[in-house]
Amino acid sequence: MDQEQLDQSLLFEVLENQLADNHPKQVKETMLRLRMTGHSNEEALELMACALAPEMQAVIEQGQSFNLERYVQHLALLPETPWLSDADLAD
């Protein structure tokens, strides 16, 4: 329940830090690309949070290492989110 709220605020905090640090650089590049294609700042952050969420979940819940390569791949696919269709958006 409050996990979703925690996740969203945590995801946004991590994204803001990544943007401020310009690391990984693909975060800022993705933000610019999404903004240039008509997404608001908030929409872009929400989309980017969808790319970050599986990595944070793997780290927090499964004790895995952060998979930067997969995260960057997910960022590159935005605004499409095909990795979500398996878990959340069963047609």
Side-chain angles (χ1 to χ4, degrees):
M1 281 185 228
D2 63 301
Q3 179 184 358
E4 284 184 31
Q5 295 170 350
L6 173 66
D7 286 347
Q8 186 174 24
S9 63
L10 176 62
L11 292 171
F12 281 18
E13 182 179 339
V14 170
L15 284 167
E16 294 289 351
N17 289 336
Q18 290 177 340
L19 285 165
D21 295 343
N22 196 29
H23 180 75
K25 65 182 172 80
Q26 292 88 346
V27 172
K28 190 169 278 190
E29 292 169 356
T30 302
M31 172 62 87
L32 292 172
R33 179 173 52 82
L34 291 171
R35 293 301 312 275
M36 289 174 59
T37 56
H39 295 278
S40 70
N41 195 58
E42 185 172 341
E43 289 170 338
L45 279 174
E46 288 173 0
L47 285 166
M48 291 167 40
C50 291
L52 179 59
E55 303 316 317
M56 294 297 291
Q57 183 176 10
V59 170
I60 294 169
E61 294 179 10
Q62 299 160 10
Q64 297 178 7
S65 296
F66 189 87
N67 188 330
L68 180 61
E69 184 178 330
R70 183 173 54 198
Y71 177 44
V72 168
Q73 289 172 352
H74 286 173
L75 288 171
L77 292 171
L78 293 175
E80 300 298 318
T81 56
W83 63 92
L84 293 180
S85 59
D86 295 336
D88 297 333
L89 307 174
D91 222 277

